[in-house]
Amino acid sequence: MAKVPTAVVAAGGLVGGYGVARWTRKRQLGGAVLAVAGITAARRWHRQAGTPAAGALTAAYVAAFAGSHPLAKKVGAWPAVFGVAGAVALASWAVADRRG
């Protein structure tokens, strides 16, 4: 079975977490999706690119989540989520996925 790239896991966690929270109206459930995807991606980043890269990408993931909130006030919720998810996916691909 082919491995899902970490870029997809991380972007999916951001988009999926927001989607679940919005559609179920349970923020905790969306947070669980966000956390599971983030932990999964972080573990894989660590294996694929090492500790410093995993730390930087994890910080980017958390910053993307936090940054999507003020960005949503300017451009809307879904555009903000897709924008930060794309940025994290690009960073993840550049640092970890393209090596494999």
Side-chain angles (χ1 to χ4, degrees), residues 10-25:
L14 290 161
V15 173
Y18 174 69
V20 167
R22 181 168 180 149
W23 291 317
T24 65
R25 298 181 188 213

Side-chain angles (χ1 to χ4, degrees), residues 20-71:
V20 167
R22 181 168 180 149
W23 291 317
T24 65
R25 298 181 188 213
K26 298 195 184 318
R27 293 177 65 163
Q28 300 87 347
L29 197 54
V33 171
L34 180 79
V36 167
I39 291 166
T40 300
R43 287 180 177 169
R44 297 226 354 245
W45 289 328
H46 185 263
R47 276 191 303 240
Q48 289 174 225
T51 302
L57 289 168
T58 300
Y61 185 80
V62 172
F65 167 70
S68 69
H69 292 81
L71 182 60

